[in-house]
Structure formats: C-alpha cells, structure tokens
Amino acid sequence: MNEKLAYLAGIIDGEGSIMYVKGALDKRRNKYYYRVILRVANNDMTLIQWIMDNFPNKWYLEHKKWRGINQDDSYILSLHYQAAINLITQIEPYLVSKKIQAKIARLAGYYHSLLRGKPGLKDPLQPVRDKLHYWMKQANYRGKNSLAIRKQAGIVTGK
C-alpha cells in the first residue's frame, strides 16, 4: 500500500471534493464543455504544500483572505481535466466517502476521451455526459435527505 496515496485519499475524503462541472454552451461548436475537478481546501499551508510537493501536477492555488476576527485565511488547491482524473484513479482504492464520485469522474474521463480531437461535431454523448453530471450532483449533495436523494438517482442501493 502506498502510504502517500492513502493519506491523500484521507485528505480528499475529509477536506476535498470531486466534481464534474458543466460549462457554458459553445455556440460555434454546438456543444457544452465539461471538466473533472479535484479540489482540496484547508487553512494549513503546510498540508497544501505537502500535496503539491508529493503529487507534482499543474495545481491551481487560490488564497482566500478572511476579514472576520475568528476566521483564518484558507487555501484552495484545484486540479482539472485529465490530471485530476489520473490522480483520482490512483487514490480511488483508498477512498471511503468519495468513492462514488471517483467512479463517476473516471467514467466522465473515459467518455471525454472518446470525442477528443473532433471539433465541430454535435456531441453524440451529450445525454451520457448530462447523466454523469446529474449523478455527480446527487452524489455530492449534503443535507437531511442525502441518502434518499442518492437512492432515487440510482447511485446507492441497499438500505
């Protein structure tokens, strides 16, 4: 077992998010753009720096300054597109609470690769991408009826 991958999976489970975002319609190409995003937010820059040192990628670092008295500054580390899918695939065996999101992200990456390099075509996989986007939204829903919502979407089975 790779301890660093397992540790990163724990960070993602606790402080991170895996998203499949639907962008705006490109009217010239007549299709929507989708992207997989892996994001970690934390107040401790040491943890953020550890991630960037141990998993070199094209990370995007955002620094949020808070003006409140009892609030610390926070750091948001993001990874997009294929780099995010590659890292999600590596940590997926160690994930616990975000395992469903990781599977959806891998599927989204697979379908994205099918149309790479084919501009101008109407996206024949639009219904599939929309369904994956819907599942990711339901999987990331947090609230009182989150389990019922996931069951209704067909993401979770059982009790």
Side-chain angles (χ1 to χ4, degrees), residues 96-151:
V96 177
S97 67
K98 302 262 186 337
K99 195 172 276 290
I100 294 169
Q101 289 91 328
K103 289 179 186 210
I104 295 169
R106 270 193 310 111
L107 275 172
Y110 170 74
Y111 286 113
H112 180 75
S113 68
L114 292 178
L115 285 181
R116 188 170 292 140
K118 297 178 178 71
L121 295 176
K122 181 154 175 55
D123 188 354
L125 297 174
Q126 184 72 40
V128 175
R129 293 175 193 255
D130 285 339
K131 190 68 169 178
L132 290 171
H133 180 255
Y134 170 75
W135 283 343
M136 186 67 85
K137 280 176 65 175
Q138 301 309 315
N140 281 329
Y141 179 80
R142 299 289 180 257
K144 190 173 183 181
N145 299 322
S146 60
L147 185 59
I149 287 172
R150 289 186 191 127
K151 283 182 182 178

Side-chain angles (χ1 to χ4, degrees), residues 3-34:
E3 290 84 14
K4 289 181 181 178
L5 287 174
Y7 187 68
L8 180 62
I11 293 169
I12 299 297
D13 270 338
E15 303 287 333
S17 60
I18 300 172
M19 299 174 282
Y20 187 52
V21 179
K22 181 179 182 178
L25 174 68
D26 183 351
K27 292 180 181 176
R28 188 171 44 104
R29 294 189 173 153
N30 195 25
K31 62 181 171 182
Y32 289 93
Y33 284 97
Y34 295 84

Side-chain angles (χ1 to χ4, degrees), residues 19-20 34-38 56-60 78-90 105-116 129:
M19 299 174 282
Y20 187 52
Y34 295 84
R35 65 180 172 195
V36 173
I37 301 174
L38 176 64
N57 273 306
K58 189 172 180 177
W59 292 101
Y60 298 96
S78 301
L79 191 61
H80 299 230
Y81 299 110
Q82 193 60 43
I85 293 166
N86 292 342
L87 191 54
I88 290 167
T89 302
Q90 290 177 18
R106 270 193 310 111
L107 275 172
Y110 170 74
Y111 286 113
H112 180 75
S113 68
L114 292 178
L115 285 181
R116 188 170 292 140
R129 293 175 193 255

